[in-house]
Amino acid sequence: MRIAVVGTGYVGLVSGTCLAETGVTVTCVDVDASKIERLNKGSIPIYEPGLLELVAKNRASERLFFTTSLKEALVDVDAVFIAVGTPPDEDGSADLRYVLGVAREIGELIEDYVVVVTKSTVPVGTNQRVKAVIKAELERRGVDVAFDVASNPEFLKEGDAVNDFMHPDRVVIGVESESAEKVMERLYHAFSLNNTPIYFMDIPSAEMTKYAANSMLATRISFMNDIANLCELVGANVDAVKQGIGSDSRIGSKFLNAGCGYGGSCFPKDVKALIKTGDDNGYSMGVLKAVENVNNRQKTLLFQKIRKHYKGDLKGKHFGLWGLSFKPATDDMREAPSLVLIEQLLEAGATITAYDPVAVDECRRRIGDRIVYAPAMYEALEGADAMIVVTEWQEFKVPKFTYIERALKEKVIFDGRNIYSPEQMKEFGYVYYGIGR
Ligand code: NAD
């Protein structure tokens, strides 16, 4: 089989590479020529564990190609995947200009039957719009080329994307024709052999499934953050509560960590977009509106704790900050809680030295040199009044507290991810702030 994947971001590059790994010949396309140049030189534009090796392997096997030319990529393909970004528009709805732009280009170029698969996260009705745009282009060209649309939302998570794509809990595919179903069945054959459930459904349900999944996960996080904040007020410990409820098989233990808020390229924008879909249809998504409010408040919680500790005066205070990316194992900083905290601290007159294992370049690209970047984790703490943890990178979890003690002016830790034990911190003589404990 041969496919094209348009967009070589987190989703396009991972999906294309992993499908190549199953034997499919894949050409990945991007308008960003610098990305394609890097990929053709053997490096990758994002940080994603295991991906570099997999790209190299499949390029060497001549199953994975990169180009800026959609025309070239579309030659003899069974399917073309749209995996471009759907960022939030000003009103919170998903901005579909890139998806529909690619649809138009496909309509301008296709010569033979192809299945146009939308992998980007898109609101219900988008596949129909993709279809209409392609049809209009074909009519404009005066040609009659058969094609089908399909929805194949992606559930991978950054930081473990290769593993998620190769071993998914399920694959969701929305189709409206038998021929599209057959193509998609062949494409995911390797996954069926591994007993991965593949759920075929109608297109609107597939589109909705993706939003419902992300919104459910975001809801769990905001719910636990609400519980954590209440735990602090009433003298309960959210860790114990998490154990107590997570062991209930109806609830399950995942996505129950309290912290300083969710970020990333997906949860914030997908929650917003689903709220907007509700509003557009005259229905108020009450739960999700609360989820969003709680999260926005939670992103300011560390700052409130820090300000309270210093009795409202942060002028001249210096902080050592561990973790910039929105979560571990990625350099993605879209909607990262660290960005909110940094702005608040700088505005209050504090200074910051930050360390992150991979997101420093990305942070510098976003906020420049308004903070100092340390090349190593303990160096970030040198001479700081306190240490702040915003991202739970593995290497932060069991640090050398003697180094921390030596570097800090005072033994104060603000832990936005609850990675240290309050009892141990007390034993070591730290003033320690966690969340909900
Ligand atoms: P991204 O911003 O990392 O990548 C998008 C890529 O598309 C960019 O490289 C951009 O240059 C390229 N592009 C834009 N217009 C193009 C065009 N006309 N032709 C060719 N390339 C073009 O985005 P992402 O994080 O990979 O997300 C893509 C979609 O997948 C979004 O809808 C997102 O919601 C969804 N999604 C993302 C994740 C995730 O973890 N990042 C997970 C599941 C689903």
Side-chain angles (χ1 to χ4, degrees):
M1 281 193 98
R2 183 183 283 274
I3 64 165
V5 178
V6 190
T8 57
Y10 287 89
V11 167
L13 185 57
V14 171
S15 311
T17 306
C18 290
L19 287 169
E21 178 69 9
T22 68
V24 178
T25 302
V26 181
T27 307
C28 293
V29 191
D30 207 290
V31 282
D32 186 337
S34 65
K35 272 192 185 177
I36 296 299
E37 197 184 327
R38 282 181 73 172
L39 286 159
N40 276 327
K41 281 186 178 152
S43 76
I44 58 172
I46 51 170
Y47 175 80
E48 190 56 56
L51 185 58
L52 183 66
E53 297 76 8
L54 211 59
V55 168
K57 181 180 164 208
N58 283 283
R59 278 183 72 224
S61 311
E62 301 202 335
R63 280 195 305 266
L64 183 60
F65 302 91
F66 299 101
T67 176
T68 52
S69 162
L70 180 59
K71 187 174 181 186
E72 198 181 298
L74 283 177
V75 174
D76 283 341
V77 291
D78 300 280
V80 49
F81 278 70
I82 303 178
V84 296
T86 47
D89 222 336
E90 272 158 29
D91 63 0
S93 60
D95 182 349
L96 296 176
R97 99 180 76 150
Y98 305 106
V99 170
L100 297 177
V102 174
R104 195 177 52 250
E105 286 179 65
I106 292 171
E108 284 166 4
L109 294 167
I110 48 171
E111 303 285 351
D112 295 304
Y113 174 80
V114 68
V115 182
V116 180
V117 188
T118 299
K119 204 167 227 338
S120 300
T121 302
V122 293
V124 175
T126 305
N127 274 268
Q128 290 311 320
R129 291 178 70 184
V130 164
K131 190 161 132 185
V133 167
I134 297 173
K135 258 197 177 142
E137 273 310 311
L138 293 174
E139 272 165 28
R140 197 188 53 76
R141 285 168 59 197
V143 294
D144 186 17
V145 181
F147 71 96
D148 278 309
V149 290
S151 163
N152 176 211
E154 182 49 55
F155 300 97
L156 63 77
K157 58 184 175 303
E158 289 173 24
D160 200 18
V162 170
N163 183 45
D164 280 347
F165 194 94
M166 294 308 281
H167 308 284
D169 289 335
R170 78 310 203 180
V171 173
V172 168
I173 301 173
V175 286
E176 55 184 14
S177 78
E178 255 178 53
S179 33
E181 185 166 338
K182 272 197 190 125
V183 169
M184 297 305 285
E185 250 169 19
R186 270 176 61 212
L187 192 57
Y188 279 102
H189 180 62
F191 296 81
S192 316
L193 292 178
N194 284 344
N195 294 325
T196 299
I198 300 191
Y199 298 122
F200 281 95
M201 55 182 78
D202 61 275
I203 290 179
S205 302
E207 292 171 327
M208 180 60 94
T209 298
K210 173 64 193 176
Y211 281 102
N214 273 358
S215 296
M216 170 64 96
L217 295 173
T219 299
R220 286 173 72 98
I221 295 174
S222 275
F223 175 78
M224 280 315 277
N225 283 336
D226 244 357
I227 294 290
N229 297 342
L230 190 57
C231 280
E232 281 186 18
L233 294 172
V234 299
N237 180 346
V238 76
D239 283 349
V241 177
K242 181 181 120 181
Q243 265 185 337
I245 65 171
S247 49
D248 184 326
S249 62
R250 294 168 303 177
I251 296 174
S253 60
K254 289 185 179 162
F255 275 80
L256 292 182
N257 286 339
C260 53
Y262 63 74
S265 65
C266 292
F267 288 5
K269 90 170 165 62
D270 293 348
V271 166
K272 259 195 180 52
L274 199 51
I275 290 173
K276 182 69 173 51
T277 300
D279 288 344
D280 288 348
N281 286 279
Y283 185 79
S284 175
M285 299 293 283
V287 171
L288 289 186
K289 285 178 183 171
V291 165
E292 192 178 41
N293 285 338
V294 169
N295 194 54
N296 289 338
R297 189 178 62 194
Q298 205 69 11
K299 281 183 170 180
T300 68
L301 190 67
L302 271 181
F303 178 74
Q304 289 165 33
K305 285 177 188 268
I306 295 167
R307 192 173 51 187
K308 192 165 171 205
H309 175 84
Y310 293 103
K311 303 194 168 48
D313 185 12
L314 293 175
K315 257 205 188 76
K317 294 285 175 229
H318 181 65
F319 295 99
L321 191 153
W322 280 5
L324 293 165
S325 55
F326 86 91
K327 68 172 183 179
T330 180
D331 59 352
D332 199 337
M333 286 194 62
R334 289 178 276 191
E335 308 259 357
S338 64
L339 291 170
V340 175
L341 177 64
I342 288 170
E343 285 308 328
Q344 288 183 303
L345 288 174
L346 293 181
E347 198 169 307
T351 53
I352 300 164
T353 300
Y355 170 74
D356 188 286
V358 299
V360 166
D361 288 346
E362 178 59 15
C363 191
R364 194 177 269 125
R365 196 180 68 73
R366 285 170 176 271
I367 65 164
D369 288 318
R370 294 166 63 210
I371 62 172
V372 175
Y373 302 96
M377 58 194 249
Y378 299 107
E379 275 179 48
L381 308 179
E382 216 50 66
D385 289 285
M387 160 179 166
I388 311 170
V389 179
V390 184
T391 317
E392 66 277 34
W393 281 92
Q394 283 296 4
E395 63 207 85
F396 298 163
K397 289 183 180 166
V398 191
K400 295 187 175 66
F401 282 101
T402 47
Y403 288 19
I404 295 178
E405 187 176 337
R406 229 178 285 151
L408 291 178
K409 268 204 242 163
E410 281 179 68
K411 291 169 75 174
V412 183
I413 296 180
F414 297 93
D415 177 359
R417 297 294 173 190
N418 284 352
I419 57 175
Y420 305 128
S421 135
E423 292 74 31
Q424 198 182 43
M425 292 299 95
K426 197 168 169 191
E427 205 180 292
F428 289 174
Y430 282 87
V431 177
Y432 173 76
Y433 295 90
I435 290 179
R437 310 191 291 177

